[in-house]
Amino acid sequence: GADWSSYVVRDGLLITGQNPASSSEAADVLVSVLGELASV
């Protein structure tokens, strides 16, 4: 992707972003994971 664009990876419970531009997307993934865990 382009320099400083958002890039987030999830591997199980590990969620990581490439740079500060990834913060919002990483937060969205975290909320999604928490929703999945709450429904278990």
Side-chain angles (χ1 to χ4, degrees):
D3 290 342
W4 293 102
S5 62
S6 179
Y7 182 73
V8 174
V9 174
R10 175 183 173 202
D11 184 10
L13 294 178
L14 175 67
I15 301 167
T16 187
Q18 181 176 2
N19 55 50
S22 305
S23 300
S24 178
E25 185 180 350
D28 291 340
V29 173
L30 174 61
V31 169
S32 175
V33 170
L34 292 174
E36 291 173 12
L37 294 174
S39 64
V40 172

